[in-house]
Amino acid sequence: MSFLRALVGTARSARHAPRLAAGLTPDDDVLLDAPDGRLSPALVAAALGDPEPAAKLLATTRDAAEWEDRDRYVGRLAAFAYHRGEWLDRWREAAPRDPDALLVAAQLAVRRAWESPARAERLRELDPLLRPLTEEAGRDPVPWRLALDHARGAHAGHAVFEGLWEQALLRSPHHYGCHVAALKYLSAQWYGSQRAAFDFAEQAADDAAPGSLVRALPVRAAHEALRPPPGPGRERPAGSGTAGTEAEPAATDGARIDRAADRGLALSTAFAPGDPWPAEVRNLLAYVLVERERWEEALAEFGRAGPYATSFPWAVGGHDPLRRFLSARDRTRAELARRTPLWGRARAIPGRSGPRGH
């Protein structure tokens, strides 16, 4: 009987898989972490050793209070400088007190310290670099987001983290990056629990404005819940405590993960298919839907993502992110085809239109 089912599944896949691929971007056209139209020229210039476009871009985001864009650009520019940093060195030599150059340099320093075997000690050494950034940040929440990430890796206590979180909220109550930083701190991987992470994410999503990426924060909590729990070789950080963890079931709460995915779907369908702005949220949502074996919705989400693959979540665990994205998409298509009756008709990918809004 199992052999017969395998034969039928193969026949169904052969018949329906090509039709299900019709609404998806071809593999060769999928882009990993593609920069938007504002960041791309800055990266091209940086590759040529010219920091001026990057300086102008970050100054514009600071003056216009475009905090979400600013956070993304700081992270991408620091990632670029990790491999090719001559342009950043030139920028800092020409303008040693430029707050944007200092912010990119601090983001880069935190990344390098984070990768050290002596992570906590290396991060604590950066206190003199980060403190002036937050003190002089004004309305800018991005230095506070960086301070939250730094505090998590440096094993800062709850009181310290709460103080930083309060300051971040004063600058921007619904800043996505700050909320992600707080969610990581509250996760079972670090200083909290699955329950704490979901409670925080759901409350933040309820309070967020329509179209805000914070509305998809529960999908982040779902992703954290689907990761292996700390165990041998994956111990929780020293001093993290275990409050709220002992009473949690060993199995992840599938119903809560599904509700998180439903919230993510509601946000994703409010944006146009192929919109690069929610690309990471869509990639994350597709990952969760695949893990939950919600194949039809997962395929639709891959369709809405269009050509935009993102390193997160596919690179978690050291994987090749683009290959893993394409593999998950192929698997979704194959599973859906296998479940479609041989002489039935595979549904077209839904969700191919929707209002654009940020």
Side-chain angles (χ1 to χ4, degrees):
M1 185 64 70
S2 60
F3 178 64
L4 177 60
R5 281 198 297 268
L7 290 178
V8 171
T10 300
R12 288 175 173 179
S13 295
R15 175 174 173 79
H16 298 305
R19 186 180 300 123
L20 289 169
L24 300 175
T25 300
D27 287 6
D28 291 344
D29 294 336
V30 175
L31 306 171
L32 180 67
D33 298 330
D36 65 19
R38 300 170 74 189
L39 179 61
S40 183
L43 292 176
V44 170
L48 299 174
D50 180 9
E52 184 174 353
K56 289 182 177 179
L57 175 61
L58 291 186
T60 297
T61 61
R62 175 163 40 85
D63 294 341
E66 296 173 335
W67 306 131
E68 302 289 1
D69 284 331
R70 179 174 175 79
D71 200 8
R72 289 191 183 193
Y73 297 155
V74 165
R76 292 296 301 276
L77 289 167
F80 188 80
Y82 181 83
H83 299 286
R84 303 179 64 175
E86 299 84 0
W87 64 276
L88 180 56
D89 295 336
R90 186 174 299 176
W91 184 6
R92 297 189 67 190
E93 289 172 2
R97 296 302 303 162
D98 187 305
D100 301 324
L102 291 172
L103 182 56
V104 175
Q107 178 74 64
L108 176 59
V110 167
R111 172 174 175 172
R112 286 174 172 160
W114 199 271
E115 295 176 352
S116 169
R119 175 193 298 163
E121 292 77 6
R122 288 284 309 279
L123 285 169
R124 293 186 191 112
E125 293 171 0
L126 298 179
D127 284 344
L129 175 65
L130 295 176
R131 190 173 298 110
L133 285 178
T134 55
E135 291 174 350
E136 300 170 12
R139 300 176 300 155
D140 186 358
V142 180
W144 293 97
R145 189 273 304 157
L146 184 57
L148 290 168
D149 286 337
H150 169 267
R152 174 167 55 92
H155 298 173
H158 295 331
V160 172
F161 196 89
E162 287 174 7
L164 295 172
W165 172 243
E166 289 174 1
Q167 292 299 318
L169 290 183
L170 288 175
R171 272 77 186 172
S172 182
H174 304 294
H175 184 256
Y176 181 65
C178 289
H179 279 77
V180 170
L183 179 64
K184 290 177 180 178
Y185 188 91
L186 291 169
S187 73
Q189 304 290 331
W190 287 91
Y191 305 97
S193 64
Q194 286 184 19
R195 182 179 303 141
F198 269 117
D199 288 348
F200 171 78
E202 289 166 357
Q203 185 62 62
D206 289 342
D207 294 342
S212 169
L213 297 185
V214 176
R215 285 188 170 251
L217 199 64
V219 184
R220 278 261 183 177
H223 173 263
E224 290 293 328
L226 289 167
R227 296 177 64 187
R234 296 178 52 85
E235 290 82 7
R236 291 163 62 89
S240 62
T242 55
T245 62
E246 294 88 344
E248 288 192 326
T252 299
D253 185 346
R256 206 166 192 183
I257 291 176
D258 284 334
R259 290 196 297 271
D262 293 340
R263 285 178 181 257
L265 287 167
L267 177 69
S268 178
T269 54
F271 292 89
D275 187 338
W277 176 253
E280 186 177 88
V281 166
R282 282 174 164 165
N283 277 247
L284 181 62
L285 177 56
Y287 173 94
V288 171
L289 290 169
V290 168
E291 289 295 309
R292 296 298 298 159
E293 299 185 357
R294 293 170 60 169
W295 304 116
E296 187 170 337
E297 291 161 306
L299 189 66
E301 199 58 32
F302 280 118
R304 282 188 284 269
Y308 298 110
T310 57
S311 289
F312 181 79
W314 309 108
V316 173
H319 298 280
D320 178 331
L322 182 55
R323 178 179 296 179
R324 197 175 180 205
F325 171 90
L326 295 174
S327 176
R329 200 175 66 164
D330 287 345
R331 178 190 173 200
T332 299
R333 185 162 52 91
E335 290 288 351
L336 190 54
R338 193 167 63 84
R339 286 163 170 74
T340 302
L342 187 59
W343 299 111
R345 183 171 180 83
R347 297 186 186 181
I349 295 177
R352 302 301 295 167
S353 63
R356 176 186 172 89
H358 288 178

